[in-house]
Amino acid sequence: MPILLKDKIVSFAQANENIRAVILNGSRANSKVVPDAYQDYDIVYFVSDLEKINSETLIHQTFGTPIIQQLPDVMLLGNNPLAKSISYTYLMIFDDNSRLDLTLFPLNQLAKYQADSLSVVWIDKDDIFQNIPPASDVDYHVQRPSQREFTEVCNEFWWCTTNVAKGLARQEIVYAKDMMENVVRPMFLQLIAWKIGSENNFSVSVGKSGKYIKQYLSDAVYAKITATYCDATIENNWTALYSMCLFFQELQRELGQQLQLKVNTAEGNNSLSYLRTLKG
């Protein structure tokens, strides 16, 4: 019978004097998340000597050779080349489809460690983490928006929908899709998150990229969201854009009432008028 990844994580840490503590983060530390076969292990090893343990050979000997991996701390992509990371992370997927996101964190930099509310202490040889509270998703709860946050998110949405429309009018589908998915949609999803937060006393998480929103919404509301996704045809993108704009207006009014926030209705009406002019 193959050794389970969790057993490898624990046994390696127990046998290695350099590893002084092990913390589990992420979805496996969240009791509200239903376990499935796709969950990874988000693990932090707190080590006395980072250089001694930071060896790809050692890590691969312990956990197996990954079928694919990423070493984000040595990549230029997404990093400031002038800033040196104090920890070191291995992102690894193995041939049994298990995934390990392993961070090595030096104990001499412990003051810089930012504890996560989703933390479960697996090993603590020196009683370093005695005061860590029980794991919860509180760090990820939707936060109640201020008037300024609400106003600026709505303004960003309505302003940037005009860029989507411009791209569609020019038949520039790549530009239009980029504006829609990477600029406009995050504002749309933020209002969805605020709606869910408002209806749940701002004590829930919608997950990364809104992956948990379905469980908090009716089928009818969820269908309105999925109607905003489409293919790469110009006409279907116009339809999706209008669907998103009309639902966004509805959400604005709803949140304004629920959270006693001022709503700039003229902004949305004017933007929609502009969109209709461009579509012809």
Side-chain angles (χ1 to χ4, degrees):
M1 182 176 180
I3 301 175
L4 297 177
L5 182 54
K6 179 180 178 180
D7 294 335
K8 291 182 181 180
I9 293 167
V10 172
S11 61
F12 179 53
Q14 287 174 332
N16 194 308
E17 281 299 304
N18 194 13
I19 302 171
R20 306 310 302 167
V22 181
I23 286 183
L24 170 74
N25 296 133
S27 65
R28 286 184 181 271
N30 189 350
S31 61
K32 295 180 181 179
V33 174
V34 179
D36 63 27
Y38 309 108
Q39 284 180 301
D40 52 6
Y41 283 93
D42 293 294
I43 298 292
V44 183
Y45 277 171
F46 293 86
V47 300
S48 301
D49 187 338
L50 181 60
E51 296 303 320
K52 186 176 181 180
I53 199 170
N54 185 17
S55 162
E56 205 170 299
T57 302
L58 176 61
I59 297 299
H60 291 175
Q61 283 177 347
T62 302
F63 299 106
T65 302
I67 59 172
I68 185 171
Q69 74 171 5
Q70 188 174 94
L71 306 175
D73 296 299
V74 297
M75 295 173 67
L76 290 178
L77 184 66
N79 286 325
N80 178 353
L82 301 179
K84 183 179 179 181
S85 177
I86 60 175
S87 58
Y88 197 91
T89 297
Y90 296 82
L91 308 178
M92 300 175 286
I93 297 178
F94 303 101
D95 58 8
D96 63 354
N97 296 327
S98 62
R99 171 169 167 162
L100 173 60
D101 293 356
L102 176 63
T103 297
L104 308 177
F105 198 96
L107 280 174
N108 61 8
Q109 298 291 328
L110 191 59
K112 296 180 181 179
Y113 177 68
Q114 296 181 337
D116 190 299
S117 67
L118 283 174
S119 295
V120 176
V121 180
W122 275 3
I123 295 175
D124 189 1
K125 298 176 182 178
D126 307 309
D127 295 328
I128 302 169
F129 298 105
Q130 291 185 81
N131 298 322
I132 283 189
S136 78
D137 65 352
V138 65
D139 283 356
Y140 303 92
H141 287 177
V142 179
Q143 299 298 303
R144 185 187 183 101
S146 66
Q147 178 65 61
R148 180 169 182 171
E149 288 171 326
F150 180 72
T151 297
E152 291 185 357
V153 165
C154 292
N155 176 260
E156 178 75 354
F157 176 87
W158 289 117
W159 175 257
C160 292
T161 55
T162 66
N163 291 330
V164 180
K166 184 170 60 176
L168 294 176
R170 289 172 171 165
Q171 304 285 303
E172 297 170 344
I173 192 62
V174 173
Y175 170 81
K177 294 293 279 189
D178 183 64
M179 286 291 111
M180 180 77 156
E181 299 305 324
N182 296 321
V183 182
V184 174
R185 188 172 299 281
M187 302 302 105
F188 175 65
L189 291 177
Q190 181 61 76
L191 254 65
I192 299 293
W194 284 336
K195 168 184 170 63
I196 292 170
S198 176
E199 293 172 349
N200 292 274
N201 199 32
F202 291 99
S203 60
V204 296
S205 165
V206 296
K208 185 176 181 179
S209 301
K211 64 181 178 178
Y212 301 140
I213 63 174
K214 185 177 182 180
Q215 69 189 62
Y216 295 108
L217 301 172
S218 67
D219 290 344
V221 171
Y222 192 69
K224 286 185 177 182
I225 296 172
T226 57
T228 68
Y229 293 90
C230 68
D231 55 22
T233 61
I234 296 295
E235 189 59 36
N236 288 347
N237 275 270
W238 275 118
T239 300
L241 179 59
Y242 281 132
S243 295
M244 184 183 286
C245 287
L246 293 174
F247 190 27
F248 193 92
Q249 274 192 320
E250 182 183 327
L251 290 168
Q252 268 189 289
R253 292 192 294 268
E254 183 182 309
L255 285 168
Q257 293 174 352
Q258 290 177 350
L259 303 178
Q260 298 182 326
L261 297 167
K262 295 178 182 178
V263 178
N264 185 346
T265 55
E267 191 171 62
N269 290 335
N270 292 341
S271 182
L272 275 168
S273 178
Y274 178 82
L275 265 57
R276 293 187 184 101
T277 300
L278 266 61
K279 186 174 188 300

